[in-house]
Amino acid sequence: MEVIFVTSNEGKYREVRAIGKKYGINVGWMRMEYFEPQGNDLEEIAKISAELLSEKFQSPFFIEDSGLFIDSLNGFPGPYSSYVFKTIGNEGILKLMKDVEDRSAHFLAVVAYWDGEKVHTFSGRVDGRITDEMRGCEGFGYDPIFEYEGRTFAEMGEEKNEYSHRRKAIEKLFSWLSER
Ligand code: IMP
């Protein structure tokens, strides 16, 4: 089975392709940027983005929207994770978190699959904490500052795919697809 993943983010594509291999699913890459509405709800953002994008596609595809939610910052950057990463980045987040005791945070991923008629969404979450400094050199985005059970995602390499929010959301999509 082949499914098309629409994303401009190579890091995401690599992870999803590796997860697909475990399910015998070939993940094709449509590398492109698309419009994402602003809002506070990742699921709503992913659903609307996929619906808008479906006007350009004849066949099924999926997109994925994710974010980092930091408890002591009331869930910031959350749905604004992409903009915050581009502007203040990991250094900026670490500055905001300087001397903050509660470092708990989670990643959330929402996958929105367009089946040719409507959108189906699947979500995944992983809980961890924000480190005091960047650690590790693999992965992308906030991986060097997000620690899960003692190691940052950037220190884990491919093993991140065992625990990540994306893995959980994609796994739901892939098992749903294989049951259809
Ligand atoms: P978006 O889903 O493409 O809007 O991405 C949201 C932001 O969160 C981007 O800056 C990503 O780099 C970051 N992000 C999403 N997933 C991950 C992840 O698994 N690790 C680290 N950063 C991530």
Side-chain angles (χ1 to χ4, degrees):
M1 186 193 303
E2 191 188 68
V3 276
I4 302 295
F5 183 20
V6 182
T7 181
S8 58
N9 183 325
E10 186 172 356
K12 283 188 183 183
Y13 172 68
R14 283 172 185 276
E15 286 183 12
V16 173
R17 185 183 54 184
I19 298 166
K21 275 193 188 145
K22 292 185 185 154
Y23 281 80
I25 291 177
N26 186 21
V27 181
W29 186 11
M30 176 62 73
R31 185 177 200 161
M32 63 180 271
E33 304 239 359
Y34 53 84
F35 175 73
E36 273 186 20
Q38 279 208 338
N40 295 327
D41 182 348
L42 271 196
E43 185 161 351
E44 198 61 20
I45 297 171
K47 190 165 179 273
I48 296 171
S49 304
E51 278 166 357
L52 292 172
L53 199 51
S54 72
E55 288 164 18
K56 294 186 184 156
F57 282 82
Q58 307 298 326
S59 46
F61 66 88
F62 67 94
I63 58 169
E64 188 260 20
D65 200 16
S66 42
L68 174 67
F69 296 75
I70 301 175
D71 289 2
S72 59
L73 303 179
N74 296 324
F76 179 86
Y80 307 101
S81 293
S82 179
Y83 181 71
V84 170
F85 187 75
K86 280 184 208 141
T87 49
I88 63 170
N90 286 327
E91 288 90 353
I93 295 285
L94 290 178
K95 265 189 208 155
L96 287 175
M97 293 295 287
K98 195 170 179 312
D99 299 328
V100 175
E101 210 168 299
D102 175 11
R103 308 193 73 84
S104 51
H106 66 270
F107 270 120
L108 192 64
V110 178
V111 169
Y113 176 77
W114 170 258
D115 69 0
E117 280 175 22
K118 63 177 182 152
V119 175
H120 305 260
T121 56
F122 306 85
S123 62
R125 169 179 169 148
V126 60
D127 289 275
R129 61 182 295 281
I130 303 298
T131 53
D132 296 315
E133 55 183 11
M134 283 196 263
R135 296 196 332 248
C137 52
E138 298 197 63
F140 65 94
Y142 299 107
D143 280 348
I145 62 164
F146 184 82
E147 186 183 282
Y148 175 78
E149 296 190 345
R151 279 178 302 160
T152 65
F153 273 175
E155 289 173 320
M156 286 186 187
E158 281 239 341
E159 205 187 324
K160 171 187 172 187
N161 280 341
E162 304 291 320
Y163 318 110
S164 80
H165 50 310
R166 186 161 300 104
R167 159 69 182 265
K168 290 173 184 159
I170 289 288
E171 208 165 55
K172 286 182 193 166
L173 167 67
F174 287 172
S175 44
W176 179 79
L177 282 174
S178 34
E179 279 164 18
R180 288 184 110 200

